[in-house]
Amino acid sequence: MSVSEHAPRYQVGDRKPFRLLDLMLAWESVLVVLLIMVVVVNAWISPYFLDVFNLSDATVNFSEKAIVALAMALLILVGDIDLSVAAIIALASLAMGLASVAGVSTPGLVLIGLGVGAVAGAFNGLLVTGIGLPSIVVTIGTMSLYRGIAQVVLGDQAITRYPAGLQALGQGTLFEMPPLPWSFAIFLGLALVIGLVLHRTTIGRRLYAIGNNAIAARYSGIRVERIRFWLFVLSGLAGGLAAVLLTGRIGSTRPNIALGWELEIITMVVLGGVSISGGSGSIPGVVLAVFVLGFTTFGMSLVNVPGIVINVLLGVLLIAAIAAPLIVRRLVKGNR
């Protein structure tokens, strides 16, 4: 029994009778309570937390990770994982940097970032679905490969020559008041689209079916390997989009760009209730987890908590989110 199984399965056509107890026990309800606690505590320890401009800055700090987390959620839902997402960001940013030095304009840089991300994701998918290698092994290898390429090409140098248009995309806002950063607006739009596809279409039903039992899904006529392949492409594409936004925001490409992001991204997904073994989870849960983690880390940074302490917290949350379902299952069995 996974954490997300406290809630309805979120499959197409699911119309279970409404029960208040089910709502109270839903993992999304727990995340809502956690989010309220995070906001209250941060507002108490720092008078600057609820400032509208500070909150806007907070969303900028986690929006690129959140975009990748949406794609990662679908991968984990079907029983796969992509540990190379942060390295894909570095590789796509490197390609954009080299193209920018060569004089490519902003639209071209955006296409290059997205294209490199999609190709890197397709390479992962080909190794996993074409050859049959485990996704965790493949993406550990490509994580080193993609990051290594960036390190070899750049060394200890940085590319800082980018057009103003790209920086406006990474640093600009859709609205001035309240300030809505482009990256956050894109995340919200993608969350809405992916949530509707997963929870309201037959595509979502197929993803749940694959995650619950890939063999049975294959025998029922679902093209399992093709779907898994395109999910890896989607993951790479999300990494490319994150590279576009992140590179524009910081205005530079370095070999350590997005270093360690894979831990935070996976934590967002698992804390959001997506079972690490696949088959259950929801996009609303992932979105709530994004806000919980994003505001938690932002609040700690406002009171000058060291980054290493924040990393420790992320590790503890990841272990807790994975271990919680096992503990609950044992307690339930012990009470029978």
PDB file of all heavy atoms in Angstrom, residues 53-93:
ATOM      1  N   PHE A  53       6.908  40.183  -3.452  1.00  0.00           N
ATOM      2  CA  PHE A  53       8.085  40.077  -4.318  1.00  0.00           C
ATOM      3  C   PHE A  53       8.996  38.934  -3.868  1.00  0.00           C
ATOM      4  O   PHE A  53       9.615  38.258  -4.698  1.00  0.00           O
ATOM      5  CB  PHE A  53       8.847  41.407  -4.330  1.00  0.00           C
ATOM      6  CG  PHE A  53       8.087  42.518  -4.992  1.00  0.00           C
ATOM      7  CD1 PHE A  53       7.410  43.469  -4.233  1.00  0.00           C
ATOM      8  CD2 PHE A  53       8.023  42.601  -6.378  1.00  0.00           C
ATOM      9  CE1 PHE A  53       6.696  44.489  -4.845  1.00  0.00           C
ATOM     10  CE2 PHE A  53       7.305  43.624  -6.997  1.00  0.00           C
ATOM     11  CZ  PHE A  53       6.644  44.572  -6.227  1.00  0.00           C
ATOM     12  N   ASN A  54       9.070  38.704  -2.551  1.00  0.00           N
ATOM     13  CA  ASN A  54       9.841  37.563  -2.060  1.00  0.00           C
ATOM     14  C   ASN A  54       9.198  36.242  -2.472  1.00  0.00           C
ATOM     15  O   ASN A  54       9.890  35.287  -2.841  1.00  0.00           O
ATOM     16  CB  ASN A  54       9.968  37.627  -0.541  1.00  0.00           C
ATOM     17  CG  ASN A  54      10.990  38.647  -0.092  1.00  0.00           C
ATOM     18  OD1 ASN A  54      11.872  39.039  -0.860  1.00  0.00           O
ATOM     19  ND2 ASN A  54      10.885  39.094   1.151  1.00  0.00           N
ATOM     20  N   LEU A  55       7.871  36.174  -2.407  1.00  0.00           N
ATOM     21  CA  LEU A  55       7.186  34.958  -2.840  1.00  0.00           C
ATOM     22  C   LEU A  55       7.395  34.722  -4.334  1.00  0.00           C
ATOM     23  O   LEU A  55       7.518  33.578  -4.783  1.00  0.00           O
ATOM     24  CB  LEU A  55       5.695  35.061  -2.519  1.00  0.00           C
ATOM     25  CG  LEU A  55       5.312  34.996  -1.041  1.00  0.00           C
ATOM     26  CD1 LEU A  55       3.812  35.194  -0.865  1.00  0.00           C
ATOM     27  CD2 LEU A  55       5.745  33.649  -0.435  1.00  0.00           C
ATOM     28  N   SER A  56       7.431  35.797  -5.106  1.00  0.00           N
ATOM     29  CA  SER A  56       7.716  35.667  -6.538  1.00  0.00           C
ATOM     30  C   SER A  56       9.115  35.101  -6.753  1.00  0.00           C
ATOM     31  O   SER A  56       9.319  34.217  -7.594  1.00  0.00           O
ATOM     32  CB  SER A  56       7.588  37.037  -7.221  1.00  0.00           C
ATOM     33  OG  SER A  56       7.937  36.951  -8.588  1.00  0.00           O
ATOM     34  N   ASP A  57      10.077  35.613  -5.982  1.00  0.00           N
ATOM     35  CA  ASP A  57      11.439  35.069  -6.073  1.00  0.00           C
ATOM     36  C   ASP A  57      11.478  33.602  -5.674  1.00  0.00           C
ATOM     37  O   ASP A  57      12.239  32.813  -6.246  1.00  0.00           O
ATOM     38  CB  ASP A  57      12.384  35.868  -5.170  1.00  0.00           C
ATOM     39  CG  ASP A  57      12.653  37.267  -5.718  1.00  0.00           C
ATOM     40  OD1 ASP A  57      12.435  37.481  -6.920  1.00  0.00           O
ATOM     41  OD2 ASP A  57      13.055  38.143  -4.923  1.00  0.00           O
ATOM     42  N   ALA A  58      10.661  33.238  -4.685  1.00  0.00           N
ATOM     43  CA  ALA A  58      10.624  31.840  -4.242  1.00  0.00           C
ATOM     44  C   ALA A  58      10.168  30.930  -5.365  1.00  0.00           C
ATOM     45  O   ALA A  58      10.729  29.854  -5.578  1.00  0.00           O
ATOM     46  CB  ALA A  58       9.701  31.699  -3.027  1.00  0.00           C
ATOM     47  N   THR A  59       9.142  31.344  -6.109  1.00  0.00           N
ATOM     48  CA  THR A  59       8.655  30.502  -7.205  1.00  0.00           C
ATOM     49  C   THR A  59       9.695  30.361  -8.306  1.00  0.00           C
ATOM     50  O   THR A  59       9.813  29.307  -8.928  1.00  0.00           O
ATOM     51  CB  THR A  59       7.347  31.064  -7.792  1.00  0.00           C
ATOM     52  OG1 THR A  59       7.583  32.363  -8.357  1.00  0.00           O
ATOM     53  CG2 THR A  59       6.280  31.168  -6.723  1.00  0.00           C
ATOM     54  N   VAL A  60      10.447  31.411  -8.548  1.00  0.00           N
ATOM     55  CA  VAL A  60      11.510  31.347  -9.560  1.00  0.00           C
ATOM     56  C   VAL A  60      12.536  30.290  -9.179  1.00  0.00           C
ATOM     57  O   VAL A  60      13.041  29.543 -10.033  1.00  0.00           O
ATOM     58  CB  VAL A  60      12.193  32.723  -9.722  1.00  0.00           C
ATOM     59  CG1 VAL A  60      13.463  32.591 -10.562  1.00  0.00           C
ATOM     60  CG2 VAL A  60      11.243  33.713 -10.374  1.00  0.00           C
ATOM     61  N   ASN A  61      12.835  30.189  -7.897  1.00  0.00           N
ATOM     62  CA  ASN A  61      13.874  29.275  -7.439  1.00  0.00           C
ATOM     63  C   ASN A  61      13.506  27.805  -7.601  1.00  0.00           C
ATOM     64  O   ASN A  61      14.401  26.951  -7.630  1.00  0.00           O
ATOM     65  CB  ASN A  61      14.210  29.554  -5.969  1.00  0.00           C
ATOM     66  CG  ASN A  61      14.954  30.861  -5.782  1.00  0.00           C
ATOM     67  OD1 ASN A  61      15.637  31.328  -6.689  1.00  0.00           O
ATOM     68  ND2 ASN A  61      14.806  31.473  -4.611  1.00  0.00           N
ATOM     69  N   PHE A  62      12.204  27.477  -7.682  1.00  0.00           N
ATOM     70  CA  PHE A  62      11.859  26.064  -7.806  1.00  0.00           C
ATOM     71  C   PHE A  62      11.086  25.722  -9.078  1.00  0.00           C
ATOM     72  O   PHE A  62      10.786  24.565  -9.316  1.00  0.00           O
ATOM     73  CB  PHE A  62      11.080  25.575  -6.577  1.00  0.00           C
ATOM     74  CG  PHE A  62       9.747  26.228  -6.331  1.00  0.00           C
ATOM     75  CD1 PHE A  62       8.662  25.987  -7.162  1.00  0.00           C
ATOM     76  CD2 PHE A  62       9.550  27.060  -5.237  1.00  0.00           C
ATOM     77  CE1 PHE A  62       7.422  26.566  -6.927  1.00  0.00           C
ATOM     78  CE2 PHE A  62       8.313  27.644  -4.990  1.00  0.00           C
ATOM     79  CZ  PHE A  62       7.244  27.394  -5.840  1.00  0.00           C
ATOM     80  N   SER A  63      10.770  26.711  -9.904  1.00  0.00           N
ATOM     81  CA  SER A  63       9.916  26.442 -11.060  1.00  0.00           C
ATOM     82  C   SER A  63      10.575  25.524 -12.078  1.00  0.00           C
ATOM     83  O   SER A  63       9.919  24.627 -12.634  1.00  0.00           O
ATOM     84  CB  SER A  63       9.506  27.759 -11.727  1.00  0.00           C
ATOM     85  OG  SER A  63       8.631  28.489 -10.906  1.00  0.00           O
ATOM     86  N   GLU A  64      11.870  25.724 -12.356  1.00  0.00           N
ATOM     87  CA  GLU A  64      12.534  24.852 -13.341  1.00  0.00           C
ATOM     88  C   GLU A  64      12.562  23.404 -12.860  1.00  0.00           C
ATOM     89  O   GLU A  64      12.329  22.475 -13.639  1.00  0.00           O
ATOM     90  CB  GLU A  64      13.963  25.332 -13.616  1.00  0.00           C
ATOM     91  CG  GLU A  64      14.050  26.702 -14.242  1.00  0.00           C
ATOM     92  CD  GLU A  64      14.482  27.777 -13.253  1.00  0.00           C
ATOM     93  OE1 GLU A  64      14.520  27.470 -12.053  1.00  0.00           O
ATOM     94  OE2 GLU A  64      14.789  28.897 -13.682  1.00  0.00           O
ATOM     95  N   LYS A  65      12.831  23.204 -11.574  1.00  0.00           N
ATOM     96  CA  LYS A  65      12.815  21.850 -11.020  1.00  0.00           C
ATOM     97  C   LYS A  65      11.416  21.261 -11.085  1.00  0.00           C
ATOM     98  O   LYS A  65      11.240  20.075 -11.380  1.00  0.00           O
ATOM     99  CB  LYS A  65      13.293  21.868  -9.560  1.00  0.00           C
ATOM    100  CG  LYS A  65      14.682  22.443  -9.353  1.00  0.00           C
ATOM    101  CD  LYS A  65      14.954  22.661  -7.874  1.00  0.00           C
ATOM    102  CE  LYS A  65      16.213  23.480  -7.671  1.00  0.00           C
ATOM    103  NZ  LYS A  65      16.407  23.849  -6.257  1.00  0.00           N
ATOM    104  N   ALA A  66      10.423  22.105 -10.805  1.00  0.00           N
ATOM    105  CA  ALA A  66       9.040  21.631 -10.799  1.00  0.00           C
ATOM    106  C   ALA A  66       8.597  21.188 -12.190  1.00  0.00           C
ATOM    107  O   ALA A  66       7.831  20.225 -12.331  1.00  0.00           O
ATOM    108  CB  ALA A  66       8.124  22.733 -10.271  1.00  0.00           C
ATOM    109  N   ILE A  67       9.047  21.871 -13.224  1.00  0.00           N
ATOM    110  CA  ILE A  67       8.707  21.488 -14.594  1.00  0.00           C
ATOM    111  C   ILE A  67       9.219  20.089 -14.890  1.00  0.00           C
ATOM    112  O   ILE A  67       8.512  19.247 -15.462  1.00  0.00           O
ATOM    113  CB  ILE A  67       9.286  22.514 -15.590  1.00  0.00           C
ATOM    114  CG1 ILE A  67       8.504  23.827 -15.499  1.00  0.00           C
ATOM    115  CG2 ILE A  67       9.267  21.968 -17.010  1.00  0.00           C
ATOM    116  CD1 ILE A  67       9.123  24.966 -16.282  1.00  0.00           C
ATOM    117  N   VAL A  68      10.458  19.817 -14.500  1.00  0.00           N
ATOM    118  CA  VAL A  68      11.033  18.489 -14.722  1.00  0.00           C
ATOM    119  C   VAL A  68      10.325  17.448 -13.855  1.00  0.00           C
ATOM    120  O   VAL A  68      10.140  16.297 -14.265  1.00  0.00           O
ATOM    121  CB  VAL A  68      12.547  18.499 -14.423  1.00  0.00           C
ATOM    122  CG1 VAL A  68      13.157  17.127 -14.701  1.00  0.00           C
ATOM    123  CG2 VAL A  68      13.246  19.556 -15.268  1.00  0.00           C
ATOM    124  N   ALA A  69       9.891  17.855 -12.649  1.00  0.00           N
ATOM    125  CA  ALA A  69       9.204  16.925 -11.748  1.00  0.00           C
ATOM    126  C   ALA A  69       7.896  16.423 -12.351  1.00  0.00           C
ATOM    127  O   ALA A  69       7.501  15.273 -12.116  1.00  0.00           O
ATOM    128  CB  ALA A  69       8.934  17.593 -10.399  1.00  0.00           C
ATOM    129  N   LEU A  70       7.216  17.250 -13.133  1.00  0.00           N
ATOM    130  CA  LEU A  70       5.970  16.814 -13.772  1.00  0.00           C
ATOM    131  C   LEU A  70       6.229  15.644 -14.719  1.00  0.00           C
ATOM    132  O   LEU A  70       5.488  14.656 -14.725  1.00  0.00           O
ATOM    133  CB  LEU A  70       5.330  17.977 -14.532  1.00  0.00           C
ATOM    134  CG  LEU A  70       4.816  19.149 -13.680  1.00  0.00           C
ATOM    135  CD1 LEU A  70       4.370  20.284 -14.588  1.00  0.00           C
ATOM    136  CD2 LEU A  70       3.680  18.705 -12.773  1.00  0.00           C
ATOM    137  N   ALA A  71       7.274  15.766 -15.533  1.00  0.00           N
ATOM    138  CA  ALA A  71       7.620  14.676 -16.453  1.00  0.00           C
ATOM    139  C   ALA A  71       8.144  13.468 -15.691  1.00  0.00           C
ATOM    140  O   ALA A  71       7.849  12.315 -16.034  1.00  0.00           O
ATOM    141  CB  ALA A  71       8.654  15.160 -17.466  1.00  0.00           C
ATOM    142  N   MET A  72       8.932  13.716 -14.645  1.00  0.00           N
ATOM    143  CA  MET A  72       9.468  12.622 -13.836  1.00  0.00           C
ATOM    144  C   MET A  72       8.345  11.839 -13.168  1.00  0.00           C
ATOM    145  O   MET A  72       8.433  10.604 -13.017  1.00  0.00           O
ATOM    146  CB  MET A  72      10.413  13.182 -12.770  1.00  0.00           C
ATOM    147  CG  MET A  72      11.033  12.122 -11.863  1.00  0.00           C
ATOM    148  SD  MET A  72      12.314  11.156 -12.682  1.00  0.00           S
ATOM    149  CE  MET A  72      13.680  12.329 -12.588  1.00  0.00           C
ATOM    150  N   ALA A  73       7.284  12.529 -12.775  1.00  0.00           N
ATOM    151  CA  ALA A  73       6.148  11.855 -12.131  1.00  0.00           C
ATOM    152  C   ALA A  73       5.542  10.807 -13.061  1.00  0.00           C
ATOM    153  O   ALA A  73       5.184   9.708 -12.624  1.00  0.00           O
ATOM    154  CB  ALA A  73       5.092  12.874 -11.719  1.00  0.00           C
ATOM    155  N   LEU A  74       5.423  11.125 -14.340  1.00  0.00           N
ATOM    156  CA  LEU A  74       4.859  10.169 -15.295  1.00  0.00           C
ATOM    157  C   LEU A  74       5.787   8.973 -15.473  1.00  0.00           C
ATOM    158  O   LEU A  74       5.325   7.829 -15.593  1.00  0.00           O
ATOM    159  CB  LEU A  74       4.623  10.857 -16.645  1.00  0.00           C
ATOM    160  CG  LEU A  74       3.664  12.054 -16.635  1.00  0.00           C
ATOM    161  CD1 LEU A  74       3.476  12.588 -18.046  1.00  0.00           C
ATOM    162  CD2 LEU A  74       2.324  11.679 -16.018  1.00  0.00           C
ATOM    163  N   LEU A  75       7.088   9.219 -15.490  1.00  0.00           N
ATOM    164  CA  LEU A  75       8.045   8.125 -15.619  1.00  0.00           C
ATOM    165  C   LEU A  75       7.985   7.186 -14.422  1.00  0.00           C
ATOM    166  O   LEU A  75       7.937   5.960 -14.569  1.00  0.00           O
ATOM    167  CB  LEU A  75       9.466   8.679 -15.757  1.00  0.00           C
ATOM    168  CG  LEU A  75      10.081   8.764 -17.154  1.00  0.00           C
ATOM    169  CD1 LEU A  75      11.502   9.292 -17.070  1.00  0.00           C
ATOM    170  CD2 LEU A  75      10.065   7.408 -17.843  1.00  0.00           C
ATOM    171  N   ILE A  76       7.988   7.758 -13.223  1.00  0.00           N
ATOM    172  CA  ILE A  76       7.941   6.931 -12.021  1.00  0.00           C
ATOM    173  C   ILE A  76       6.595   6.219 -11.925  1.00  0.00           C
ATOM    174  O   ILE A  76       6.510   5.086 -11.430  1.00  0.00           O
ATOM    175  CB  ILE A  76       8.210   7.801 -10.778  1.00  0.00           C
ATOM    176  CG1 ILE A  76       9.646   8.336 -10.814  1.00  0.00           C
ATOM    177  CG2 ILE A  76       7.974   7.013  -9.495  1.00  0.00           C
ATOM    178  CD1 ILE A  76      10.022   9.204  -9.637  1.00  0.00           C
ATOM    179  N   LEU A  77       5.553   6.853 -12.420  1.00  0.00           N
ATOM    180  CA  LEU A  77       4.229   6.246 -12.402  1.00  0.00           C
ATOM    181  C   LEU A  77       4.198   4.922 -13.160  1.00  0.00           C
ATOM    182  O   LEU A  77       3.497   3.984 -12.770  1.00  0.00           O
ATOM    183  CB  LEU A  77       3.206   7.210 -12.999  1.00  0.00           C
ATOM    184  CG  LEU A  77       1.740   6.794 -12.950  1.00  0.00           C
ATOM    185  CD1 LEU A  77       1.252   6.716 -11.511  1.00  0.00           C
ATOM    186  CD2 LEU A  77       0.887   7.772 -13.744  1.00  0.00           C
ATOM    187  N   VAL A  78       4.975   4.813 -14.248  1.00  0.00           N
ATOM    188  CA  VAL A  78       5.000   3.572 -15.031  1.00  0.00           C
ATOM    189  C   VAL A  78       6.125   2.639 -14.583  1.00  0.00           C
ATOM    190  O   VAL A  78       6.374   1.616 -15.225  1.00  0.00           O
ATOM    191  CB  VAL A  78       5.127   3.860 -16.546  1.00  0.00           C
ATOM    192  CG1 VAL A  78       3.972   4.689 -17.026  1.00  0.00           C
ATOM    193  CG2 VAL A  78       6.458   4.522 -16.879  1.00  0.00           C
ATOM    194  N   GLY A  79       6.818   2.994 -13.502  1.00  0.00           N
ATOM    195  CA  GLY A  79       7.842   2.109 -12.958  1.00  0.00           C
ATOM    196  C   GLY A  79       9.249   2.392 -13.409  1.00  0.00           C
ATOM    197  O   GLY A  79      10.163   1.595 -13.146  1.00  0.00           O
ATOM    198  N   ASP A  80       9.481   3.511 -14.101  1.00  0.00           N
ATOM    199  CA  ASP A  80      10.821   3.884 -14.545  1.00  0.00           C
ATOM    200  C   ASP A  80      11.316   5.069 -13.736  1.00  0.00           C
ATOM    201  O   ASP A  80      10.606   5.590 -12.868  1.00  0.00           O
ATOM    202  CB  ASP A  80      10.817   4.224 -16.039  1.00  0.00           C
ATOM    203  CG  ASP A  80      10.710   2.995 -16.919  1.00  0.00           C
ATOM    204  OD1 ASP A  80      11.477   2.038 -16.695  1.00  0.00           O
ATOM    205  OD2 ASP A  80       9.854   2.982 -17.830  1.00  0.00           O
ATOM    206  N   ILE A  81      12.527   5.517 -14.045  1.00  0.00           N
ATOM    207  CA  ILE A  81      13.100   6.689 -13.381  1.00  0.00           C
ATOM    208  C   ILE A  81      14.187   7.249 -14.281  1.00  0.00           C
ATOM    209  O   ILE A  81      14.775   6.521 -15.089  1.00  0.00           O
ATOM    210  CB  ILE A  81      13.672   6.322 -11.982  1.00  0.00           C
ATOM    211  CG1 ILE A  81      13.898   7.576 -11.142  1.00  0.00           C
ATOM    212  CG2 ILE A  81      14.962   5.507 -12.109  1.00  0.00           C
ATOM    213  CD1 ILE A  81      14.177   7.290  -9.672  1.00  0.00           C
ATOM    214  N   ASP A  82      14.438   8.552 -14.170  1.00  0.00           N
ATOM    215  CA  ASP A  82      15.488   9.199 -14.961  1.00  0.00           C
ATOM    216  C   ASP A  82      16.373  10.019 -14.027  1.00  0.00           C
ATOM    217  O   ASP A  82      15.998  11.110 -13.601  1.00  0.00           O
ATOM    218  CB  ASP A  82      14.861  10.091 -16.035  1.00  0.00           C
ATOM    219  CG  ASP A  82      15.903  10.679 -16.980  1.00  0.00           C
ATOM    220  OD1 ASP A  82      17.109  10.471 -16.741  1.00  0.00           O
ATOM    221  OD2 ASP A  82      15.510  11.348 -17.958  1.00  0.00           O
ATOM    222  N   LEU A  83      17.542   9.467 -13.722  1.00  0.00           N
ATOM    223  CA  LEU A  83      18.482  10.148 -12.843  1.00  0.00           C
ATOM    224  C   LEU A  83      19.396  11.112 -13.591  1.00  0.00           C
ATOM    225  O   LEU A  83      20.236  11.767 -12.981  1.00  0.00           O
ATOM    226  CB  LEU A  83      19.336   9.120 -12.093  1.00  0.00           C
ATOM    227  CG  LEU A  83      18.582   8.192 -11.141  1.00  0.00           C
ATOM    228  CD1 LEU A  83      19.532   7.157 -10.542  1.00  0.00           C
ATOM    229  CD2 LEU A  83      17.892   8.983 -10.042  1.00  0.00           C
ATOM    230  N   SER A  84      19.223  11.191 -14.907  1.00  0.00           N
ATOM    231  CA  SER A  84      20.106  12.039 -15.714  1.00  0.00           C
ATOM    232  C   SER A  84      19.512  13.408 -15.999  1.00  0.00           C
ATOM    233  O   SER A  84      20.085  14.178 -16.774  1.00  0.00           O
ATOM    234  CB  SER A  84      20.430  11.346 -17.046  1.00  0.00           C
ATOM    235  OG  SER A  84      19.286  11.268 -17.881  1.00  0.00           O
ATOM    236  N   VAL A  85      18.362  13.738 -15.409  1.00  0.00           N
ATOM    237  CA  VAL A  85      17.673  14.977 -15.778  1.00  0.00           C
ATOM    238  C   VAL A  85      18.525  16.217 -15.531  1.00  0.00           C
ATOM    239  O   VAL A  85      18.534  17.140 -16.356  1.00  0.00           O
ATOM    240  CB  VAL A  85      16.324  15.080 -15.036  1.00  0.00           C
ATOM    241  CG1 VAL A  85      15.311  14.131 -15.623  1.00  0.00           C
ATOM    242  CG2 VAL A  85      16.497  14.833 -13.539  1.00  0.00           C
ATOM    243  N   ALA A  86      19.244  16.265 -14.411  1.00  0.00           N
ATOM    244  CA  ALA A  86      20.069  17.437 -14.127  1.00  0.00           C
ATOM    245  C   ALA A  86      21.236  17.518 -15.112  1.00  0.00           C
ATOM    246  O   ALA A  86      21.615  18.608 -15.549  1.00  0.00           O
ATOM    247  CB  ALA A  86      20.587  17.374 -12.693  1.00  0.00           C
ATOM    248  N   ALA A  87      21.789  16.366 -15.474  1.00  0.00           N
ATOM    249  CA  ALA A  87      22.878  16.352 -16.451  1.00  0.00           C
ATOM    250  C   ALA A  87      22.375  16.748 -17.841  1.00  0.00           C
ATOM    251  O   ALA A  87      23.104  17.370 -18.624  1.00  0.00           O
ATOM    252  CB  ALA A  87      23.517  14.968 -16.500  1.00  0.00           C
ATOM    253  N   ILE A  88      21.133  16.400 -18.166  1.00  0.00           N
ATOM    254  CA  ILE A  88      20.535  16.835 -19.438  1.00  0.00           C
ATOM    255  C   ILE A  88      20.430  18.355 -19.466  1.00  0.00           C
ATOM    256  O   ILE A  88      20.677  18.992 -20.500  1.00  0.00           O
ATOM    257  CB  ILE A  88      19.151  16.184 -19.641  1.00  0.00           C
ATOM    258  CG1 ILE A  88      19.316  14.686 -19.931  1.00  0.00           C
ATOM    259  CG2 ILE A  88      18.392  16.856 -20.777  1.00  0.00           C
ATOM    260  CD1 ILE A  88      18.001  13.939 -20.063  1.00  0.00           C
ATOM    261  N   ILE A  89      20.077  18.953 -18.343  1.00  0.00           N
ATOM    262  CA  ILE A  89      20.030  20.414 -18.250  1.00  0.00           C
ATOM    263  C   ILE A  89      21.398  21.007 -18.553  1.00  0.00           C
ATOM    264  O   ILE A  89      21.517  21.983 -19.308  1.00  0.00           O
ATOM    265  CB  ILE A  89      19.540  20.853 -16.869  1.00  0.00           C
ATOM    266  CG1 ILE A  89      18.088  20.432 -16.649  1.00  0.00           C
ATOM    267  CG2 ILE A  89      19.686  22.366 -16.686  1.00  0.00           C
ATOM    268  CD1 ILE A  89      17.553  20.706 -15.251  1.00  0.00           C
ATOM    269  N   ALA A  90      22.453  20.408 -17.979  1.00  0.00           N
ATOM    270  CA  ALA A  90      23.813  20.893 -18.221  1.00  0.00           C
ATOM    271  C   ALA A  90      24.194  20.749 -19.689  1.00  0.00           C
ATOM    272  O   ALA A  90      24.792  21.653 -20.285  1.00  0.00           O
ATOM    273  CB  ALA A  90      24.796  20.134 -17.332  1.00  0.00           C
ATOM    274  N   LEU A  91      23.851  19.609 -20.298  1.00  0.00           N
ATOM    275  CA  LEU A  91      24.189  19.373 -21.699  1.00  0.00           C
ATOM    276  C   LEU A  91      23.445  20.339 -22.616  1.00  0.00           C
ATOM    277  O   LEU A  91      24.020  20.904 -23.558  1.00  0.00           O
ATOM    278  CB  LEU A  91      23.856  17.926 -22.072  1.00  0.00           C
ATOM    279  CG  LEU A  91      24.247  17.476 -23.480  1.00  0.00           C
ATOM    280  CD1 LEU A  91      25.759  17.495 -23.646  1.00  0.00           C
ATOM    281  CD2 LEU A  91      23.701  16.080 -23.755  1.00  0.00           C
ATOM    282  N   ALA A  92      22.147  20.537 -22.356  1.00  0.00           N
ATOM    283  CA  ALA A  92      21.362  21.457 -23.179  1.00  0.00           C
ATOM    284  C   ALA A  92      21.856  22.894 -23.015  1.00  0.00           C
ATOM    285  O   ALA A  92      21.930  23.656 -23.993  1.00  0.00           O
ATOM    286  CB  ALA A  92      19.886  21.358 -22.792  1.00  0.00           C
ATOM    287  N   SER A  93      22.211  23.274 -21.791  1.00  0.00           N
ATOM    288  CA  SER A  93      22.734  24.614 -21.554  1.00  0.00           C
ATOM    289  C   SER A  93      24.066  24.808 -22.273  1.00  0.00           C
ATOM    290  O   SER A  93      24.342  25.886 -22.816  1.00  0.00           O
ATOM    291  CB  SER A  93      22.905  24.852 -20.050  1.00  0.00           C
ATOM    292  OG  SER A  93      23.363  26.165 -19.792  1.00  0.00           O
TER     293      SER A  93
END
